[in-house]
């Protein structure tokens, strides 16, 4: 294997790593959004439960 091929392989590997890193970052961000929405839903459910006369403890 020559030096040019090795350099090209390393550059391709770095690009793939960068792409993967960006994809993971987007997935984590989306997971955070989903978790936040789930918390909102849980709080709303607790409000409804309380309004209906029930008692429910919501803890995080």
């Amino acid at each position: 294997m020559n030096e040019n091929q090795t350099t090209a392989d390393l550059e391709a590997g770095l690009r793939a790593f960068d792409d993967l890193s960006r994809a993971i970052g987007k997935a984590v961000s989306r997971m955070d959004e989903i978790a936040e929405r789930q918390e909102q839903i849980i709080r709303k459910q607790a409000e409804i439960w309380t309004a209906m006369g029930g008692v429910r403890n919501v803890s995080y």
Side-chain angles (χ1 to χ4, degrees), residues 3-40:
E3 187 175 324
N4 288 339
Q5 183 61 45
T6 301
T7 301
D9 289 346
L10 288 172
E11 289 172 350
L14 287 173
R15 281 192 301 275
F17 182 80
D18 286 344
D19 291 345
L20 180 60
S21 294
R22 276 192 293 280
I24 290 170
K26 287 179 183 179
V28 169
S29 177
R30 183 68 181 129
M31 288 169 48
D32 287 344
E33 291 171 9
I34 291 168
E36 182 177 323
R37 182 67 182 132
Q38 287 175 326
E39 289 176 10
Q40 292 171 352

Side-chain angles (χ1 to χ4, degrees), residues 42 56-60:
I42 290 168
R56 183 173 188 165
N57 292 328
V58 178
S59 59
Y60 301 97

